[in-house]
Amino acid sequence: MGRFFLAEYNVATLKAPLDAPESIAFRDALDQINALGEAQPGFIWRAVGEGFDSATPAADQDPFYIVNLSVWESAEALAAFAYRTEHRLYVRHREDWFHRRPGPAYVLWWIPEGHVPTDVEGEARLAELTAFGSTERAFDFANRFPPPSSPQATQARTPT
């Protein structure tokens, strides 16, 4: 059986444009927080470039819609970064910069080693979490699931 890693996808909708004075504290911290995450034990990978670096939304992306996609060795490693480093200050103040979402703002799921998740996959998993609540395919920190026993267990399912 191969190894599995934890994929994490989170989204937020800005209250003001990224270059507006209201967004400056968030915008100015992006590079520092991303570098902090990349230096954490258990960090594997994060999506970068157009559509993922908040200052450079994809051409077909709403510039107010901010996304992040990363891969970690474990939920514990991700939680240590998210809630026990300087990153926690930005989590606590997210409502200063972002609208409150009616559903989940992030989703976690297991991927087989070597798989590179996409934003399309992240949106699908977020939709699953929203529709079905936490399952072994799409979950949150409060309702974690262990890695699956086989790669076939991670095949995509369309929410109904």
Side-chain angles (χ1 to χ4, degrees):
M1 177 174 68
R3 292 179 63 189
F4 286 84
F5 296 116
L6 188 74
E8 175 274 338
Y9 182 74
N10 68 67
V11 300
T13 303
L14 286 164
K15 290 180 175 179
L18 200 54
D19 59 356
E22 300 89 342
S23 301
I24 197 166
F26 172 76
R27 182 189 67 233
D28 286 354
L30 284 173
D31 290 341
Q32 175 189 351
I33 296 299
N34 285 334
L36 178 64
E38 291 172 357
Q40 293 303 299
F43 172 83
I44 303 291
W45 172 89
R46 80 175 177 91
V48 297
E50 187 176 280
F52 292 102
D53 292 327
S54 297
T56 316
D60 62 346
Q61 180 180 336
D62 177 347
F64 285 79
Y65 193 65
I66 305 297
V67 301
N68 180 279
L69 177 61
S70 59
V71 176
W72 297 80
E73 287 183 357
S74 66
E76 293 76 19
L78 173 57
F81 163 64
Y83 303 114
R84 291 190 289 283
T85 68
E86 186 179 344
H87 180 273
R88 75 185 181 285
L89 303 174
Y90 295 91
V91 172
R92 287 183 191 153
H93 294 283
R94 65 184 169 261
E95 290 186 10
D96 293 349
W97 307 296
F98 303 108
H99 291 288
R100 181 179 290 266
R101 288 183 54 85
Y106 73 93
V107 63
L108 309 173
W109 73 100
W110 294 104
I111 59 171
E113 184 174 21
H115 175 73
V116 178
T118 66
D119 58 334
V120 172
E121 187 178 356
E123 287 291 334
R125 297 291 178 136
L126 189 60
E128 285 186 40
L129 179 61
T130 301
F132 305 118
S134 287
T135 68
E136 68 282 349
R137 291 190 29 79
F139 52 94
D140 57 25
F141 280 116
N143 302 287
R144 299 180 198 177
F145 285 81
S149 58
S150 71
Q152 292 77 23
T154 64
Q155 296 299 318
R157 167 177 75 169
T158 303
T160 56

